[in-house]
Amino acid sequence: MQRWDLRSLFAPRLVVHAHCDIPCGIYDPSAAKVAADTVAKMVEKIQGFAKEIPTAQGAAEVTARNNFVRSISVKEEHAQIVKKELLILWSDYFKPEHLEKYPQLHDTFWKAAKLCSKNKQTVDAQAAADLQAAVKEISDIFWATKKQ
Amino acid sequence: MRPATLLFRVAVTGPSMEPTVRDGDWLLVRQLRRAPRVGELVVAVDPREPERLLVKRVSAVDGDQVSVAGDQQERSTDSRHFGPLPASAVLGRPVLRYAPLQRAGLIR
């Protein structure tokens, strides 16, 4: 008992990290966030170009159509990036002890992944905003676990 | 995060500074009131997470920019990944290991 008291008397209150993140992986939800923001931006752009196309003429029409298709392609690609980045966090970063603290974690990831698919299938500002919110929720949980 | 006292105690976690300091070591750290020097062990604020402290070795000093590295290159995340730190991020220099007792002694 006395020994324990001595121990707590001398125990440091600060921790210094001599860690390696590399073999264990550096995890960061910001890539998913940037990709989700890109999806939302592309939804905006697609809707803008869709309005432009019917009134554009000649070269301007070709440019508008080109931009329209490119925006769709970028939206598709970045929705997939969100899915991939979330999968990395879900499968590699989060551990059973995180799940105990955040029991909704699996459901949150599942819904976020489904929102990625929905954003591929649709041009829907609400779906894009929902995806951004889902990524933010995961990001908040991630940073909360880092603080412990 | 900057400690108020000239000397402060820290507990080491992680393998990147073996064998100089090991996981579980308790160290006495002296606040650094001068520019860090190449080759010395330092305690610094993690540039990625201001609440987190690192213990690393100074690998380069360029004006106000200090690069740090782990002694175990394969098992360290350091300036090779997150870049140099401002000199102000360096808080102090471990001077003494006081636990475990069998390895207690001055740190070089």
Side-chain angles (χ1 to χ4, degrees), chain A residues 6-23 26 143 146-147, chain B residues 9-16 26 43 48 52-56 74-77 81 98:
Chain A
L6 267 181
R7 193 180 154 79
S8 54
L9 185 64
F10 289 110
R13 281 164 302 152
L14 291 174
V15 168
V16 291
H17 295 264
H19 272 303
C20 54
D21 295 346
I22 286 297
I26 290 181
W143 290 114
K146 284 283 201 179
K147 291 224 184 309
Chain B
R9 293 167 293 173
V10 298
V12 177
T13 167
S16 83
W26 290 356
V43 166
R48 303 163 301 171
R52 193 172 190 258
L53 295 180
L54 306 170
V55 57
K56 299 284 172 191
E74 268 83 73
R75 295 195 287 165
S76 174
T77 300
H81 314 102
Y98 67 97

Side-chain angles (χ1 to χ4, degrees), chain A residues 78-88 113 116-117 120:
Chain A
H78 281 76
Q80 186 61 33
I81 292 172
V82 178
K83 225 182 214 183
K84 185 190 115 196
E85 291 293 331
L86 293 183
L87 179 65
I88 292 169
C116 294
S117 306
K120 291 181 175 200

